[in-house]
Amino acid sequence: MSSENSNTALSDEELQDLVASTDTGGRIPSNKTIILVMSATALIWSIFQVWIASPIPYELGWGVFSTRESRPIHLGFAVFLAFLAYPAFKNSPRRRIPMADWVLSIVGTFCVLYPFLADTSLAEAISGLRLSNRPSNPTGFDIVVAVIGMVLLLEATRRALGPPLMVVAIVFLSYTFFGPYAPDLIAWKGSSFGGTTYHQFLGDEGVFGIALGVSTDLVFLFVLFGALLDRAGAGNYFIKVAFALMGHFSGGPAKAAVVASGMTGLISGSSIANVVTTGTFTIPMMKRVGFNSEKSGAVEVASSVNGQIMPPVMGAAAFLMVEYVGISYFEVVKHAFLPAVISYIALVYIVHLEAKKLNMQGLSRHGETKPTSWVLMSWGITLSMIIALAGGLYYLSVVYQLLETSTARLAGIVGVLAIMYGIAGFLKKSADESTVAKTISTGAMVLGTTVIGAFGLFFVIDLIKATFGDETQWVIMALIFVAYLLLARISSSYPDLEMDDPNSAVVELPKTGPTVKSGLHFLLPVVVLIWCLMVERKSPGTSAFYAAALMIFILFTQRYLFAFYRGEGTAGTIRRGLDELVEGMIAGARNMIGIGIATAAAGIIVGAVSQTGVGLKLAALVEFLSLGHIMLILFWTAVLSLILGMGLPTTANYIVVSSLLAPVIQSLGQQNGLDVPLIAIHMFVFYFGIMADVTPPVGLASFAAAAVSGGDPIRTGFVAFFYSLRTALLPFLFIFNTALLLIGVDFFEGVLIFIIATAAMLIFTAGTQGYFLAKSKLWESCALVLIAFTFFRPGFWMDLAIEPYEERGGSGLVQAMADVNPDEKIRLIISTEDDVGDPIALTLMMKVGDEASGPERLEGYGLELLEDEGKVIVDGVTFNSAAEKAGFDFDQVITSVGVPVERPAKQWFYIPALLLLGFIVLLQRRRRNPLAETAAV
């Protein structure tokens, strides 16, 4: 962007071109035949992906594709469309496709399909041997095809995603060949040309590895689901609902931007598309209530990038984590949920503080708005009533065992709902409006109904399973169909939500009730998706298939149903629904072009890492820079994640940083006594990789927001980074406090952790923003940050006050094992040598078993010791034992044993933190009241 227009907001057409050039391809040919070819290819791609995800091929016994077949076909579609949809250069034609691009498209498609074609019976008849029957032994023709395919894949990467990922892939590919000539710190023996081509392109380690497999099996369906939802009108619905709910608050449009971006992020795989989609409406409204161009753009950037850490999609990284970490999708979502929600709550609070600083007002709302005191009172009374009813039901179930069957429990749920709405109805009829406003909260009623109804749904499903057995799925499908008809009937009672002009004046916000009810049927496929994933624990691919199948049906029929329910003419509605369905499937495929290319190109990096072992070299580099200090290890890993993530889409971003840097934290952390679950490590590098979308000078989301707001992109990026400090803080916190990821906690502990962590994050936000109840003094801001740190890590102060371990010599290990309670951890300092023979010290954590004596516990752990000249030496490690997994190895010398000591609960440090917080609140309330009185005068 030139300096002349750097502060000019782009037109709607230019914004759509911005999204197209980064997500779907910026070329729109004028020739209708070519458009038809591209659209038909995209449609066939979507149909192919739905087909391989469905159970139909397995029922028919025909059309089943293995991973070695589906991955090349998936990439073939992406490469073919990439060369047609993305121009080679900025000045390349946009309205026609040059012949060279046709040639590159066809040749590139053939090359990426070659691993599939060369493994067919036809190829065996021609060459005498399938590709899979000659592993690591490519022919000359194999190598030629692989080289051409790699070059064209890198060119497609450059066109679709820009130079960064292509350059990184080339660097790692070059390292594969020139490793012997690299500096000693990162040198390796190198690889042959044929060996590298097979590893990277013809085998399953590089281009066609796990990353592309996840794109093929999982990501496409979720992206398609999001595209279908958006085409049905759900995107506009989410934005309108967010404004109806939040727009009347101080700084309301900015808070609505956060909520809208959060809801859009649930189904979006691109922070840039999220910025432009929601920012087109939210940024002008933020500017209208007083935010400047940079702050309005920064709020949108921060909230849109946050959408990439929000389950269930997480910018498609959630599905990759399943493969790379080796845990279920449910576990990934559970661990990612709490930090994402806390981060969003903190962002809403940032917006609130910014609005308070500037004394901003919200947009006007239909009818009278409840005072804050009435809102809190009505929520408290309504929730108390709901909790009392639910608690009574639980009491009957536990004490009197009256609700042992699903039928009885379902009847109890219906009874609770009937009583709840009966009381509410009686109050509305008998009491005056002010009493009703103070007593009944519609929001609390909806929340209570949702929670209680969810339990009721459990019992309904149980009852259906017990009654219908193998026919359960057909009964559930019928119930979903009936629910869709009912929700569509409710939604059709309200006018369709029109797309607003963001540049026109907003006199008042849409009515909350009618706005929410006008799109209730959009929530049904989302409920189906979440139910299948979280309750039925079906695979992500199967869950997405069911949700996408329901969304296809809704798109096809909603126009007809709405016209029928409204008594309007239904002629042409089925055809319109079919057109919108086809458009949604084409849009889903075009949205996948960049992701498919990104996962394939990132596979080159993953392949180079697995072939060269460069991860160990990076670990050595980080260890050298950090001097073995754990905080510096994390700091340098975060910096490298930011650098490697610059300019990369979310999917490729996670693949790169997790392949290169997650092993660094794992190995160095283990050496320094940091016993962290692998999911926490992957979340750490993922968060900082995502932060690259915000961070100048390459923060793509910041440039997109600046294009909408007309602000300076670099300043927008810096403000967005400042707003995102809470996101940058979270990874450090859950590395040291894995309870934030809900690891090893029960439900009530999880609720307590959520409350404490949310309060701590809000206090941290107030400290970094320089405003709490009033403008903070410097010492108050520092004190707030210190209070927040205490809430997050009270154990830090306890460790300073009382040493956590009593140190004993290595010879005291067996006795220490006997003294310590089962499941407690002993800290061992180990003297050993690294891979090149240099002496190093390791800190290993040893979990004590429940055997009767110290020697038995040692044996159960899988460790054999030998005492020689006063030294305690590891003489043997049982295969696949806890000792081997912890990092113990033959000939290590145990120099020190740390036995945990009894200490007071670390939560005692909350008390001085709360006292200091209360003192600051008192001071700021005193400063605020005179200011309020002055403003009133």
Side-chain angles (χ1 to χ4, degrees), residues 210 317-328 331-332 335 654 658 662 677-683:
I210 289 175
F319 317 117
L320 290 160
M321 284 185 186
V322 171
E323 298 294 331
Y324 288 167
V325 181
I327 60 177
S328 68
E331 291 294 316
V332 170
H335 298 322
Y654 171 67
S658 64
L678 189 57
I679 181 64
I681 295 171
H682 277 253
M683 291 284 288

Side-chain angles (χ1 to χ4, degrees), residues 135-160:
S136 300
N137 188 26
T139 64
F141 186 70
D142 292 341
I143 293 175
V144 170
V145 172
V147 170
I148 296 173
M150 292 280 280
V151 171
L152 293 182
L153 174 60
L154 290 171
E155 168 59 13
T157 304
R158 183 192 66 81
R159 292 187 182 205

